Amino acid sequence: MQDFVFCLGVSAPFPTLSPPYRPQEKEIKSLIAEIENLKNPVILDYSLGLGEMLEENTKLKYRLNVLKRSLQEEEGKVGSSMININQRLQNIFSAAIKLAYPHFESPPLAVTPSQHARFGDYQCNSAMAMSQQLKAKGEKINPVEIAKQIINSIPKNDIIEKVDIAGPGFINVHLNKEFVSKLLTDLLVNGVQPPLVGPKRKVVVDFSSPNIAKEMHVGHLRSTIIGDSMCRLFEFVGYDVLRLNHVGDWGTQFGMLIAHLQDKFPDYLFVSPPIGDLQAFYKESKKRFDEEEAFKKRAYECVVQLQSHNPEIIKAWNLICDVSRKEFQKIYDCLDIKLIERGESYYQDMMVDVVKLFEEKGMTQLDEGRKIVFPPGCSLPLTIEKSDGGYTYDTSDLAALRQRIFDEKADMIIYVVDNGQSVHFQTIFAAAQMIGWYDPEKIRVEHAGFGVVLGEDKKKFKTRSGETVRLIDLLNEGLKRSMEKLLAKERDKVLTPDELKAAKEAVAFGCIKYADLSHNRTNDYIFSFDKMLDDRGNTAAYLLYAFTRIRSITRLANIDDVTLQKAARETTILLNHDKEWKLGKCILRFPEIINKILDDLYLHSLCDYLFELATTFTEFYDNCYCVEKDRQTGDVIKVNMWRMLLCDATAAVMAKSFAILGIKPVQKM
């Protein structure tokens, strides 16, 4: 039976890729298990003769090598993608568990970064969970024994230096320093690249969505900031992203606005009306609508003419929309937001088909003249046609979803809308699935909800007079507070006027964005300029200052970009000091964070990571000399280039993180 020992081939490097798993990987694991069965005398099929077993083993080994080569060729396509170390370890331990326990159905897989250096760099905690599952089936196996079997089955790889068992069965993983050093070099040479995320996807993100003829207020802040950052993340990993602004540009309110426009500016068809304050214009028309019966009747007539696409009424509607668009754009320019407007009006002609399709499927019910749809598992119905034949938000949202599925051919559709709309979207999605528009296993349709913005009194954020805070006023206040902060630090004495202006905007808008994104989006958060402009703790102010300081290290050492790039290619990054090692590992957790956010859409994870990276860098810089200077003259006498490269790698990852969050750092602050 010795002939079977050398045939296994598991000692060869086991190629692994980040998810989604390649079909080859799954088959490789299956083949390895088959070869293991042929090796193991306990489970050997003795009905086969020795020659037949040798032939079967040879065939399996051949298939295994063909698949490995195929997977290695595909892995070669990875190019400059950053490696998710956690996922790579999960792949390795998944293979090890399958080898050690081939008949264990759906074994639990848990690999996490270690919380303490004495427990290694990562931990695999699967053994305890496996022991519990086996115990439930009547098999008692000590988790330590399971851990030993897993360790003995780990395929040869270049990432793990050693493993050991701690406590009741924790497997401590110690990474190979040469492997980590090489990944850091790859990062510096190739730039900060996204991890592997599978095939390119078409993503539609619906966010911001203010109402025409109303000013954007603080309530629109979260959707705009969160939605933009999600788009930036999807764009970073190479997805085809459609950023949609589903503005409220249709409905009965336009009847009163158009009627008021006709009265106030009767020559609007020939002379552009000077509507300076659209909010005041809206209030005037609403007052007349509530108090003047004749005006109210004419407003309804204007709605009918609008829906009939009367040219003169359409022009009035466009004029009102254009005034709003200009005001919205001021906000978007400040926050550097890019959007394509597709309001409710875009889907008007599609609503007839929506109602018709539900009727043809026999899914509608009549309720006091209304046509309603009751999706399974939902407590409330959707009204897809009113008793007067008009359509509703439900009809509009169904039409929009259908268009995005069938016309845009989206693989992912994300709605960044407040938590108050969660039941509505659950019902819309359930109706779309009920009628067969999409399979949630194939198309990801998700409501990324968020909490409200609170004032420091923990009540809804409002002005002192009790009115909703206008977003433009909030941004202007941010600029004012930011400048005060910079002047208090006497930055006006070292920065040029242009540099000071750039710093003011970077701090103001960066702090507002980061304060939002650094909180779990599903929770409410307290808006406080004092907290967000504090340069201590997890704030954009602290991180922007930290980033500027890191960037200045190479400048103070008189090292230019060309020298750094040459060093990145030629210098080995040493990781012998504890703080070097800690920083190197932290830098390389970036792709892990990216993959996590792609799964759960919680951007605060990136903020937490960014803060951890900045504080880890501070520990490193306080303990490891990057540049050594003469104490008397201040002249540079020695540059530890591998540490300068760690500085550069930290800054590169911070810069990419800022870009995803929509924050613009500046060279000087």
Side-chain angles (χ1 to χ4, degrees), residues 423-471:
V423 173
H424 169 72
F425 281 114
Q426 287 170 17
T427 313
I428 291 289
F429 301 160
Q433 290 174 50
M434 177 179 74
I435 201 171
W437 288 350
Y438 78 97
D439 178 352
E441 295 295 319
K442 296 178 180 177
I443 298 177
R444 180 180 181 180
V445 181
E446 188 169 337
H447 170 219
F450 54 83
V452 300
V453 182
L454 304 176
E456 295 190 66
D457 58 359
K458 297 185 180 179
K459 296 179 181 178
K460 273 198 172 183
F461 195 32
K462 293 185 179 293
T463 63
R464 289 179 182 176
S465 61
E467 294 184 357
T468 303
V469 178
R470 298 195 322 159
L471 195 44

Side-chain angles (χ1 to χ4, degrees), residues 344 347-348 350-356 358 371 382-386 389-402 424 428 437:
E344 293 164 12
Y347 305 100
Q348 288 303 302
M350 305 176 195
M351 295 188 200
V352 177
D353 289 339
V354 167
V355 176
K356 185 179 177 183
F358 275 97
K371 291 177 183 176
L382 296 172
T383 299
I384 61 171
E385 188 174 295
K386 295 187 290 187
Y391 301 126
T392 67
Y393 288 123
D394 295 343
T395 332
S396 174
D397 282 341
L398 284 168
L401 179 54
R402 181 170 176 263
H424 169 72
I428 291 289
W437 288 350

Side-chain angles (χ1 to χ4, degrees), residues 358-376:
F358 275 97
E359 286 182 322
E360 287 174 350
K361 295 272 187 178
M363 294 177 177
T364 59
Q365 301 175 32
L366 278 176
D367 179 53
E368 297 181 352
R370 297 181 304 148
K371 291 177 183 176
I372 63 172
V373 173
F374 247 120

Side-chain angles (χ1 to χ4, degrees), residues 136-152:
K137 294 179 181 179
E139 298 180 55
K140 288 189 177 180
I141 303 180
N142 189 312
V144 173
E145 289 303 314
I146 294 175
K148 287 179 181 177
Q149 290 297 319
I150 293 172
I151 287 174
N152 291 336

Side-chain angles (χ1 to χ4, degrees), residues 56 69 112 138 156 158 178 182 191 207 229 252 254 286 293 385 391 396 406 417 424 431 510 531 562 573 588 615:
E56 183 66 20
R69 283 197 300 274
T112 57
K156 185 178 178 182
D158 54 1
E178 288 184 9
K182 182 181 181 303
F207 69 105
S229 187
T252 54
F254 281 94
K286 183 71 170 66
E293 197 59 39
E385 188 174 295
Y391 301 126
S396 174
F406 293 104
V417 186
H424 169 72
K531 288 181 180 177
V562 174
I573 297 176
L588 294 177
T615 53

Side-chain angles (χ1 to χ4, degrees), residues 191-322:
V192 181
Q193 300 295 326
L196 285 172
V197 292
K200 186 173 182 176
R201 296 182 178 186
K202 174 71 176 285
V203 185
V204 173
V205 184
D206 180 326
F207 69 105
S208 193
S209 308
N211 289 313
I212 295 292
K214 294 183 181 179
E215 287 190 281
M216 290 181 74
H217 54 77
V218 71
H220 296 109
L221 182 66
R222 300 208 73 185
S223 177
T224 304
I225 290 173
I226 295 169
D228 175 63
S229 187
M230 284 184 185
C231 290
R232 290 171 183 269
L233 175 69
F234 293 138
E235 288 159 354
F236 170 60
V237 299
Y239 291 166
D240 178 10
V241 182
L242 182 58
R243 299 158 158 261
L244 290 185
N245 196 4
H246 190 82
V247 298
D249 65 351
W250 203 256
T252 54
Q253 75 272 23
F254 281 94
M256 65 182 191
L257 288 166
I258 293 168
H260 189 51
L261 180 75
Q262 289 173 329
D263 291 346
K264 195 165 185 177
F265 304 103
D267 58 350
Y268 73 90
L269 289 172
F270 312 102
V271 180
S272 183
I275 304 175
D277 188 342
L278 195 56
Q279 189 81 350
F281 187 85
Y282 181 90
K283 288 179 180 178
E284 289 171 9
S285 64
K286 183 71 170 66
K287 187 173 185 296
R288 291 186 67 190
F289 184 84
D290 292 337
E291 297 175 359
E292 301 174 24
E293 197 59 39
F295 179 82
K296 189 178 205 177
K297 183 180 178 182
R298 196 154 55 83
Y300 281 129
E301 290 172 356
C302 286
V303 172
V304 173
Q305 293 178 68
L306 177 64
Q307 292 172 341
S308 302
H309 295 87
N310 178 296
E312 292 187 5
I313 299 299
I314 288 291
K315 177 158 188 180
W317 171 74
N318 273 321
L319 286 168
I320 293 166
C321 290
D322 284 343

